[in-house]
Amino acid sequence: MPRLISALALAAVLVLPTSAQAGKPYVLGNVGVGTPTVAAGPAGVYHVVWNDERANVFHYCQVLKGKSGCAKSTVLAFNDSPDGGLTGAPDKAWIVRDIDAKVLYLVHPQYVSGDTYVWTSVDDGTSFTGPTKVWGGVNGGPGTDSQRPLYFPAGKSIAFPSVNPGLFAFEAPVDGSMAASESQATLNQQGLGIRGYRLGLATLEDRTLATADDLENLYWWDAGNGEDLSATPTWGGPTFIGSGYDSSMHGQAGDAYLAYTVRHPKGWRFEIRKWGGLAFGKAKVLANTNGYQGNVYVSENGSPAAIYRDNKDGLHYSYSADGGKTYATKLVTNSDEVYFDLNMAHDDDGAGLAVWTREGAIAAADLTSVADPSAPPVSKTVTKNGVTTGLNVPGTCVVGGKKYTVSTGGQGRGRLKKVRYRFGGQQQTDTKPSWGATFTVPKSVRSGAVIKVSSLATFTRKSTTFSVSISTTVTVCGA
């Protein structure tokens, strides 16, 4: 559910950056020529990185859910050209996470030299060490079409999809022990058009999956788990999927999803397919329109989401809470932009961040959980000790079996420490921004039943601790 009151407004006098309005674009930073990417971290943290080819630097920016601007930012200088020329300028970079070790890796393959480098952060992006050269260049490098790399925690290695001009894949340890290696797999393109584009990688339980398109059709390749991803014989394929172009593929938690644009007799469609174990399944239509610049992401629990530009009214966000069976779609912003280099990441609860390139700047927009149209948000407020607190709940009615978010917001000079939420017989306590909890309405609850919803928010103000209790109800309606 969208939140009626900004979830961190309670601490706005104490905490930066400022609260974000859901869907309203804002600027993360200026750039001469650069491309942004984003990865989702735990508890509403998003890791954004973009390159500036003219200034020869990378910008790392950590964005918190519900906030605009960088909560943390780091600038990393990089130029691998001895004369400092543009040929050594940094190319598009990515953040990958070692979840268990709590390490961030900033990865950037270089187009001209063909080398690949990694920076390492062990303090959640406050600082980075490096760069470490992890792989030597071959065939002119990875190309400008590089997609999201994969991290394998067991071997502390990263696998890279590479396009220039063929389709390649290679894997390298982050310690630089293969820095001089030029071993890479050349994926078979027999049956494709002139060349393949947008090579994506995903790890499944029994294989590593690759997808690409040739501007007309979609294909997949695979390699068995434990096999050398840098060896050509490892990869089988290509296998034809169907018509499509501008494809984007991502996977986590054993699932993978492929989103793309397809031309049909009556126009265009933006579609998504789920990996079914032996092949990609039947296409689901997310939009009957020309939805280009699309991007797909899968959260750590396997929930898929996609963003795309609809030429009619702007940027859209489609999220599935049931493993790709159904998707709820909302208009994020009707800003009339092209959304160059559109990239996204989202959390397990469906909230996320979109980033893209504007002229001279890197833009972003908050992606919030998709609302049930039958339940617009309402807020009940209480004022105590100079702090106005709001409990945001679904309005009108809620549907059995569906998930809904309740949240806390408000304004005043107080620091929110924790909120205990009750939704009928369910209870959750939140101790971190952006102050909310998601509950599932039991399927067994009959239509017309009333569910009590309450919050108990604990604040500190100077040396004083006080609590604010708010109680309201929601009504159950038919499915």
Side-chain angles (χ1 to χ4, degrees):
M1 291 295 302
R3 291 160 185 165
L4 185 60
I5 299 177
S6 171
L8 289 187
L10 289 162
V13 295
L14 301 173
V15 179
L16 293 175
T18 59
S19 299
Q21 297 181 31
K24 184 178 180 181
Y26 56 90
V27 172
L28 288 176
N30 298 321
V31 65
V33 178
T35 303
T37 62
V38 58
V45 177
Y46 306 101
H47 305 284
V48 183
V49 61
W50 66 90
N51 59 317
D52 189 329
E53 295 184 16
R54 293 176 179 170
N56 288 329
V57 297
F58 292 104
H59 292 265
Y60 167 80
C61 169
Q62 188 173 114
V63 179
L64 303 181
K65 182 167 64 176
K67 308 284 272 187
S68 61
C70 303
K72 290 183 180 182
S73 60
T74 304
V75 179
L76 304 173
F78 180 86
N79 191 321
D80 67 352
S81 175
D83 60 3
L86 187 60
T87 57
D91 290 319
K92 180 168 70 173
W94 300 85
I95 289 287
V96 296
R97 298 170 53 230
D98 186 328
I99 299 172
D100 296 333
K102 297 182 180 180
V103 175
L104 300 178
Y105 295 107
L106 190 155
V107 183
H108 54 102
Q110 292 299 102
Y111 172 65
V112 175
S113 69
D115 299 329
T116 298
Y117 298 86
V118 170
W119 301 72
T120 303
S121 175
V122 296
D123 54 12
D124 193 38
T126 301
S127 63
F128 287 82
T129 59
T132 300
K133 182 179 176 180
V134 298
W135 189 80
V138 66
N139 291 335
T144 57
D145 191 36
S146 64
Q147 302 299 305
R148 194 180 300 273
L150 290 177
Y151 179 69
F152 297 98
K156 294 191 179 301
S157 62
I158 300 178
F160 303 84
S162 173
V163 181
N164 184 36
L167 299 177
F168 308 104
F170 59 96
E171 182 180 357
V174 296
D175 63 5
S177 58
M178 287 182 59
S181 175
E182 294 186 348
S183 174
Q184 66 176 356
T186 303
L187 273 62
N188 181 12
Q189 295 191 75
Q190 185 176 358
L192 276 70
I194 297 175
R195 58 169 293 187
Y197 296 85
R198 302 180 66 84
L199 181 67
L201 297 178
T203 301
L204 304 175
E205 293 181 358
D206 60 344
R207 71 189 74 199
T208 297
L209 186 69
T211 63
D213 67 78
D214 62 1
L215 303 183
E216 291 185 358
N217 296 308
L218 308 161
Y219 302 86
W220 64 270
W221 298 254
D222 68 337
N225 280 351
E227 296 188 32
D228 183 3
L229 300 184
S230 300
T232 297
T234 296
W235 291 90
T239 301
F240 176 75
I241 300 172
S243 298
Y245 63 96
D246 280 350
S247 60
S248 173
M249 191 267 288
H250 186 237
Q252 288 199 86
D255 287 326
Y257 293 81
L258 175 66
Y260 53 91
T261 300
V262 61
R263 180 71 183 265
H264 62 101
K266 295 183 179 181
W268 289 269
R269 287 196 297 256
F270 189 68
E271 299 180 341
I272 192 167
R273 295 174 185 255
K274 180 180 181 180
W275 176 256
L278 297 176
F280 280 96
K282 184 179 179 180
K284 289 184 177 294
V285 178
L286 298 183
N288 282 297
T289 183
N290 184 359
Y292 62 91
Q293 291 286 0
N295 188 246
V296 68
Y297 190 86
V298 182
S299 68
E300 290 179 7
N301 73 349
S303 297
I307 51 176
Y308 59 93
R309 172 189 160 126
D310 184 326
N311 284 348
K312 293 182 295 185
D313 54 10
L315 185 63
H316 289 252
Y317 173 55
S318 295
Y319 170 73
S320 175
D322 56 10
K325 296 178 182 177
T326 59
Y327 289 84
T329 299
K330 63 177 286 187
L331 177 66
V332 177
T333 171
N334 59 3
S335 173
D336 186 19
E337 297 194 39
V338 178
Y339 300 102
F340 286 119
D341 307 311
L342 188 60
N343 196 252
M344 71 159 292
H346 69 281
D347 302 321
D348 291 343
D349 64 359
L353 187 74
V355 296
W356 64 92
T357 303
R358 278 181 179 169
E359 183 177 357
I362 301 299
D366 177 50
L367 304 174
T368 55
S369 299
V370 179
D372 187 310
S374 66
V378 297
S379 182
K380 183 175 181 179
T381 61
V382 171
T383 300
K384 182 178 179 180
N385 292 349
V387 175
T388 299
T389 308
L391 172 61
N392 308 310
V393 301
T396 310
C397 62
V398 296
V399 178
K402 290 193 174 183
K403 293 182 178 180
Y404 297 88
T405 295
V406 297
S407 62
T408 297
Q411 60 184 3
R413 292 183 175 275
R415 180 169 289 278
L416 186 55
K417 304 296 290 185
K418 67 177 180 179
V419 185
R420 186 193 68 195
Y421 297 97
R422 294 185 184 272
F423 192 96
Q426 305 174 61
Q427 177 178 313
Q428 293 186 43
T429 299
D430 194 2
T431 60
K432 298 179 180 179
S434 53
W435 309 113
T438 300
F439 298 93
T440 300
V441 179
K443 291 183 178 180
S444 58
V445 178
R446 61 179 176 80
S447 179
V450 175
I451 298 176
K452 183 178 179 179
V453 183
S454 65
S455 66
L456 181 64
T458 301
F459 296 89
T460 58
R461 182 177 178 182
K462 296 182 178 180
S463 59
T464 302
T465 299
F466 63 95
S467 297
V468 177
S469 178
I470 306 176
S471 179
T472 185
T473 61
V474 294
T475 302
V476 178
C477 55

